[in-house]
Amino acid sequence: MSLFEDLKSLKAGRADRRITDLFDQDALRADRFMAEADDMRLDYSKTLIDAEVRKALVDLCDTAALADRREDMFAGQRINVTEGRAVLHTALRNLDGGTVRVDGVDVMPGVQETRGRMRGFAQAVRSGQICGAGGSITDVVNIGIGGSDLGPAMTTRALSPYHDGPRCHFVSNVDGAQIADTLRGLNPARTLVIVASKSFTTVETMTNASTARRWMAEGGGDPSGQFAAVSTALDKTIEFGIPEDQVFGFANWVGGRYSVWGPVGLPLMIAIGPQNFDDFLRGGQAMDRHFRTADWTDNLPVMLALVGIWHRQVCGFATRAVLPYEQRLEHLPAYLQQLEMESNGKSVATGGMPLGQPSGPVVWGAPGTNGQHAFYQLLHQGSDVIPCEFMLAAQGHEPELGNHHDLLAANCLAQSEALMRGRTLEESRNQLEDKGIDVAEAARLAPHRVFPGNRPSITLVYPKLSPFVLGQIIALYEHRVFVEGVILGINSFDQWGVELGKELAVALQPAVEGLESARGSRGSTAALLGFLHRHR
Ligand code: F6P
C-alpha cells in the first residue's frame, strides 16, 4: 500500500473524530502540534492531525528523499528539468552565506555586484541625485505582470510603515484603464518608470511600457533618463532604449514568481531604503537556514506543506483560504495564488506520467476582518470544508490609535475557535430560549444557527510585520511549495499551462482588430467577436 493510501485509511478511521476531542484528550496539544522558527509560531493543532497521522505525513518526506532534493536545489542542480534550469532564488538572499555554484561557477559575485548597483541606484533616486527633467523623482511606476508585479506590489504595500522614498505605483494589466488611472495626476517630468520583465517580451508589459514612454515624452519628461529596466534579456532592454547603467539583470535560475529578492524588488528598495531591504533578505535567509537544518516535525515549511497535503490530497478539500489579519498583507492572497497555483497546479509528474494525486489546491483569501463580513458565512456553514490559514502579528504599527490591534487579534482567534467548535442544534435552541424567545420560535430558528464546526485551520503568529518577518513569511511559503512539489512529484518551477492562452491571443488579435475574419474560430468565439464588432 502506498503512503498516500495509508494516510487515506488513517483519515477514514477518524471520520467521526472531532478536533475538540483531541484537545480534551491532550492538555498539551497546542504545544505538541506547532513548530517555531525565530519568534514565528505555526500552530496546526486546530486540525485533525494527531501523532499517528503526523508520523505518516513525515514519512512522505523520507520516501520522497526530501533532504536530498532540498540540497539539490540549494546546490544549484538543474532541478527545473523541463527548462533545464537551476532554481536559486535563495542565492539572492544569501547575504552572508558561502559560495553558490551553478555548473561549477560561483554565482555570488554577480549577485552581489547587481545588489550593489541596485543600492546605488535606489539611494540616488531617494536622495534626488538621479532626477527627472522637472526635478527630483516623486513617483515610481513599476510596469510588469505576474512575478514581475505581484512580489514588488505585495511587499511594497506590506511594508508601508517603512516607506521614506518616493511613492510607488504598479501597472500590470494590458487593460488601458490601469495605466490611464495610474498616470493621471503624476508629473511625467518627475516620474521614474521601471519596466520589469524577465523575458522582456511579455505583451502586457511591453504595451504598457510603450504607452508610458509616449506619455513621458509628450509630457516633458526624459524617457532615456527616467526609465530603468529589470530583466534577464539585457539585449532587449537596450533595444528598447534603456541606458545600460539603468538596467538590472538577473539569471534564468530565478523564476519569475520567486524573483522579488533581486532586481524585481527594486521598487521596494526605493520605497524602504537599502537597509530595510537587507533586513527583508535576512528574514528570507533565516528561513532558508531553518528549512535546511530543522528536523521535519520542527520545520515550519515542511509542516506547513504536510498540513497542506493532508487537507488537499488526503482529505480532498479543493481550496484553501489565506486570511491575514493584517490589512497591509491585502495583496498576499494574489501573490500566493501565483506562487502556489502556477507552481503546483499541474497534473503531470516530473517524469511525464500522470500525477496520481490531485494537483495543488485553489488558493484564495482576503484580509480579516473584512472577509468576516463577506465570505466567512460559507466558511462556517457552507457545504464545503475549506481549511483556513490565519496570520496574525502580536503587535501592530499603530499603538497610538488605541485598541485596534486588540480587536483585530480577538477576531482572528475567535474565528479559528468558532470554526473548530461549531454550535449544536441543542446549543442554538438553548441560546435562543435564554434570550426569552418562546419554545416554538426557538425550535424554528435554531437549525439556521447551527455551526457544524470541526473545520480545520492553522494560525501563523509573529511579533510584528517588519521587513525581516515579511522575508521569513515569503520564504516560508516558497519552501512550502517546494516541499509539496517534491512529495507530489511535480516540477514546481515551470508554467507550461499559461502558454496555450497566450498563443491563441496572438492568433486572435488580427480578427479582433478587424484585419481578418475570425477564420478558424469556433462558433462561440466567432459569435463573441461578431458582437464586439457590432458594438464598436
Ligand atoms: O505568463 C506567466 C509568466 O510567465 C509568469 O510566470 C511570469 O511571472 C509572468 O508571466 C511575467 O513574465 P515576464 O517577467 O517575463 O514578463
Side-chain angles (χ1 to χ4, degrees):
M1 209 160 59
S2 82
L3 286 176
F4 275 100
E5 282 160 7
D6 286 347
L7 278 158
K8 282 180 187 155
S9 58
L10 287 178
K11 189 222 156 209
R14 285 155 175 75
D16 298 329
R17 191 170 292 175
R18 295 194 63 88
I19 304 168
T20 44
D21 296 339
L22 298 176
F23 280 99
D24 292 343
Q25 288 154 14
D26 179 1
L28 297 177
R29 178 170 173 80
D31 287 328
R32 285 200 227 272
F33 291 84
M34 64 95 195
E36 280 179 332
D38 291 311
D39 285 344
M40 181 171 272
R41 179 179 176 117
L42 172 70
D43 176 335
Y44 59 95
S45 62
K46 290 192 187 91
T47 66
L48 275 173
I49 294 173
D50 58 19
E52 196 183 2
V53 169
R54 179 168 59 192
K55 165 142 195 344
L57 286 168
V58 165
D59 286 347
L60 292 172
C61 299
D62 296 325
T63 306
L66 177 62
D68 294 342
R69 298 290 80 79
R70 178 187 59 190
E71 290 322 300
D72 288 347
M73 175 171 72
F74 281 97
Q77 301 289 319
R78 294 180 186 271
I79 62 169
N80 175 356
V81 290
T82 59
E83 296 180 309
R85 292 176 182 168
V87 173
L88 275 179
H89 48 279
T90 49
L92 300 176
R93 55 196 187 225
N94 177 29
L95 280 186
D96 39 25
T99 55
V100 178
R101 293 182 200 283
V102 177
D103 296 334
V105 179
D106 184 8
V107 300
M108 286 317 298
V111 168
Q112 279 148 5
E113 198 251 344
T114 304
R115 195 186 310 125
R117 289 184 51 234
M118 283 169 68
R119 290 178 78 97
F121 183 74
Q123 294 282 34
V125 170
R126 286 159 57 83
S127 67
Q129 197 190 324
I130 287 184
C131 50
S136 60
I137 298 296
T138 54
D139 296 88
V140 175
V141 177
N142 187 81
I143 295 179
I145 196 165
S148 301
D149 165 71
L150 292 162
M154 184 274 282
T155 53
T156 303
R157 170 73 179 112
L159 296 178
S160 63
Y162 300 85
H163 286 199
D164 55 2
R167 290 180 291 264
C168 289
H169 313 265
F170 295 87
V171 172
S172 52
N173 202 319
V174 75
D175 182 347
Q178 193 183 18
I179 193 157
D181 288 352
T182 305
L183 298 183
R184 190 177 305 122
L186 301 192
N187 181 346
R190 298 186 67 184
T191 296
L192 172 75
V193 173
I194 300 174
V195 185
S197 174
K198 186 174 167 183
S199 58
F200 230 70
T201 57
T202 303
V203 173
E204 290 91 335
T205 301
M206 299 324 295
T207 306
N208 280 322
S210 299
T211 300
R213 187 167 56 184
R214 242 183 357 259
W215 165 82
M216 190 176 280
E218 287 164 8
D222 168 21
S224 65
Q226 289 170 231
F227 262 64
V230 169
S231 186
T232 57
L234 302 185
D235 49 334
K236 297 200 175 73
T237 61
I238 289 160
E239 216 174 283
F240 189 84
I242 299 180
E244 229 169 307
D245 59 338
Q246 304 207 156
V247 175
F248 301 89
F250 58 105
N252 69 10
W253 38 256
V254 179
R257 54 194 175 271
Y258 299 88
S259 62
V260 67
W261 311 98
V264 168
L266 186 59
L268 176 66
M269 190 192 263
I270 293 174
I272 65 175
Q275 273 181 3
N276 282 322
F277 191 83
D278 278 356
D279 280 348
F280 168 67
L281 299 185
R282 272 191 201 97
Q285 192 185 19
M287 189 54 73
D288 293 342
R289 282 203 200 99
H290 169 81
F291 176 49
R292 291 180 86 171
T293 54
D295 290 343
W296 297 147
T297 48
D298 298 327
N299 198 306
L300 261 73
V302 170
M303 290 316 302
L304 189 58
L306 294 179
V307 173
I309 284 178
W310 167 251
H311 287 145
R312 173 66 182 127
Q313 280 77 25
V314 182
C315 299
F317 305 142
T319 85
R320 67 172 162 241
V322 182
L323 306 168
Y325 276 65
E326 185 90 67
Q327 185 59 32
R328 293 189 178 107
L329 287 181
E330 66 183 327
H331 300 317
L332 184 69
Y335 175 82
L336 292 181
Q337 279 175 336
Q338 189 197 17
L339 182 63
E340 302 201 25
M341 292 161 75
E342 198 166 65
S343 296
N344 288 344
K346 294 165 191 166
S347 308
V348 174
T350 307
M353 304 297 286
L355 202 56
Q357 302 293 337
S359 68
V362 174
V363 177
W364 61 283
T369 58
N370 298 20
Q372 290 175 210
H373 298 272
F375 55 80
Y376 277 42
Q377 163 65 43
L378 184 146
L379 297 181
H380 287 287
Q381 289 189 315
S383 51
D384 294 292
V385 175
I386 299 175
C388 294
E389 302 194 348
F390 294 98
M391 292 183 187
L392 178 67
Q395 292 173 53
H397 281 92
E398 286 75 26
E400 72 285 359
L401 297 183
N403 66 349
H404 283 254
H405 197 78
D406 292 340
L407 292 173
L408 184 73
N411 272 279
C412 180
L413 300 176
Q415 289 298 328
S416 62
E417 188 77 21
L419 285 164
M420 174 179 71
R421 269 206 235 156
R423 188 159 66 201
T424 63
L425 185 63
E426 196 188 348
E427 285 167 344
S428 303
R429 210 172 31 230
N430 291 343
Q431 199 183 52
L432 288 163
E433 287 175 15
D434 289 348
K435 284 185 187 155
I437 295 175
D438 74 57
V439 174
E441 184 64 355
R444 187 180 76 80
L445 291 176
H448 299 278
R449 295 169 168 246
V450 169
F451 290 69
N454 215 24
R455 303 214 154 176
S457 69
I458 60 168
T459 304
L460 183 72
V461 281
Y462 44 86
K464 190 174 186 174
L465 190 61
S466 62
F468 183 89
V469 165
L470 184 65
Q472 285 178 293
I473 293 175
I474 299 175
L476 166 64
Y477 275 84
E478 287 177 349
H479 292 319
R480 175 230 206 128
V481 166
F482 173 77
V483 173
E484 289 191 2
V486 168
I487 289 174
L488 295 173
I490 289 173
N491 172 12
S492 302
F493 302 102
D494 61 12
Q495 56 283 319
W496 300 108
V498 303
E499 295 301 325
L500 179 58
K502 285 188 196 172
E503 285 163 23
L504 293 185
V506 170
L508 271 169
Q509 197 179 331
V512 174
E513 288 172 349
L515 303 175
E516 254 180 31
S517 70
R519 229 175 336 112
S521 300
R522 305 272 168 155
S524 162
T525 304
L528 293 167
L529 268 170
F531 177 92
L532 297 183
H533 287 308
R534 281 195 305 281
H535 288 82
R536 278 186 175 175

